[in-house]
Amino acid sequence: MPSKRLSPQKAREKLGQLTQQATATELPLAQKLTALTKWIEDKKDGLLTSKPYVLVLLTEVILDAELWLALRSLSPEQRQQLYLSENNSAAEQYWFEVLFPRWINDWDPKFPNWKREVMQGNFKRDDELILRNLAREIESRGGSYLWRHLLDLSMATDLLASGEGESPLCVQLTTVSGRYLADKRRGWEETLQYWRIQRGLLVSYNPTDNSLVSRLVTVILSYSDEPSANGYNVVTDL
């Protein structure tokens, strides 16, 4: 789970360096990084320090951009060798090979809104504890996961999960139920369709269930490992 945070000074420095590096070869990435630089350029360091999600998100993007640029310099065969040597999971590979490049190269319709909401402190990961517990349980069962704030904010995905298969699943968790779930489902499906995500699972759960984590992981891994579980599946009885 992401917890590392760069200081405001280091984040500004890294954004500048990466933007300069990307401008020569990866202009869409440079443009995204420039937008993030402008997002924080008039904010004092003390204010940014008080905005943990701003710094965590920036740290994630910076570290991922650094690695992605390094991967871009390799051939597909070399990248695959690196993934194998570093024991990267199917979820990590899907992020760096598919979804992160799409975010870099495509227009993100949610970008202006989430920048505003995160800076104003309106974005909170109330489900962070359950996600951490899910991650531990997924790993204990031999699966893998990846969690990024970009996935949540831009792609309606709380985590990427993979079991024994090589096709990760984009999972969205919600406590919304009943008639309100239809609107949630519609927005979720539209977002996944926009990003051309082919495998998604929306799970409506009861947060008071004592066996929730175990049951959630069972459902997530069963859909992840089922080759025929393509498209967008919804589970509402948890």
Side-chain angles (χ1 to χ4, degrees):
M1 289 291 177
S3 57
K4 182 178 179 181
R5 281 189 289 168
L6 294 173
S7 67
Q9 302 95 320
K10 196 66 175 178
R12 295 182 203 274
E13 177 187 334
K14 287 281 191 181
L15 282 171
Q17 292 171 349
L18 282 170
T19 301
Q20 185 175 13
Q21 180 183 351
T23 298
T25 58
E26 302 293 344
L27 189 56
L29 174 59
Q31 291 170 337
K32 283 291 199 304
L33 296 174
T34 297
L36 291 173
T37 298
K38 291 180 178 178
W39 184 41
I40 63 170
E41 66 182 355
D42 63 342
K43 304 296 188 296
K44 293 183 178 180
D45 288 352
L47 175 66
L48 292 178
T49 301
S50 71
K51 306 281 186 179
Y53 287 110
V54 172
L55 292 175
V56 169
L57 190 149
L58 287 174
T59 301
E60 287 180 354
V61 174
I62 287 167
L63 294 177
D64 284 349
E66 286 179 332
L67 179 55
W68 186 76
L69 285 171
L71 290 169
R72 291 284 287 176
S73 68
L74 304 176
S75 68
E77 294 76 17
Q78 289 172 323
R79 288 203 302 273
Q80 194 58 40
Q81 269 310 118
L82 181 62
Y83 287 136
L84 291 173
S85 65
E86 296 293 326
N87 291 320
N88 291 111
S89 68
E92 290 169 318
Q93 292 186 49
Y94 184 56
W95 174 244
F96 284 107
E97 293 292 322
V98 179
L99 294 186
F100 190 52
R102 284 181 187 167
W103 181 78
I104 290 170
N105 288 287
D106 294 357
W107 164 250
D108 179 356
K110 297 186 179 183
F111 199 18
N113 181 65
W114 68 242
K115 282 190 297 181
R116 181 181 63 254
E117 293 299 302
V118 173
M119 187 61 73
Q120 291 178 351
N122 297 329
F123 171 73
K124 293 179 173 55
R125 294 300 314 238
D126 295 328
D127 56 357
E128 185 169 336
L129 178 59
I130 189 170
L131 285 172
R132 290 184 183 277
N133 291 333
L134 282 175
R136 283 194 289 268
E137 182 71 12
I138 287 172
E139 287 189 326
S140 74
R141 299 197 198 181
S144 63
Y145 72 93
L146 184 135
W147 180 28
R148 290 291 189 274
H149 285 78
L150 276 182
L151 279 170
D152 183 25
L153 291 164
S154 296
M155 301 182 182
T157 296
D158 287 311
L159 78 161
L160 288 176
S162 59
E164 297 178 357
E166 297 183 0
S167 298
L169 189 66
C170 288
V171 181
Q172 168 108 132
L173 305 175
T174 182
T175 57
V176 173
S177 61
R179 61 190 179 93
Y180 300 105
L181 185 60
D183 289 337
K184 180 80 173 182
R185 177 177 184 171
R186 185 160 45 250
W188 170 71
E189 289 185 350
E190 288 173 355
T191 299
L192 266 58
Q193 289 167 358
Y194 177 83
W195 292 106
R196 306 184 302 285
I197 293 169
Q198 296 180 347
R199 306 183 80 235
L201 176 67
L202 174 65
V203 183
S204 173
Y205 68 92
N206 177 0
T208 63
D209 184 351
N210 293 330
S211 62
L212 175 64
V213 169
S214 178
R215 294 175 65 193
L216 275 174
V217 171
T218 296
V219 168
I220 290 169
L221 291 182
S222 67
Y223 276 93
S224 174
D225 289 337
E226 177 52 57
S228 63
N230 293 321
Y232 307 142
N233 294 284
V234 179
V235 175
T236 61
D237 56 352
L238 286 179

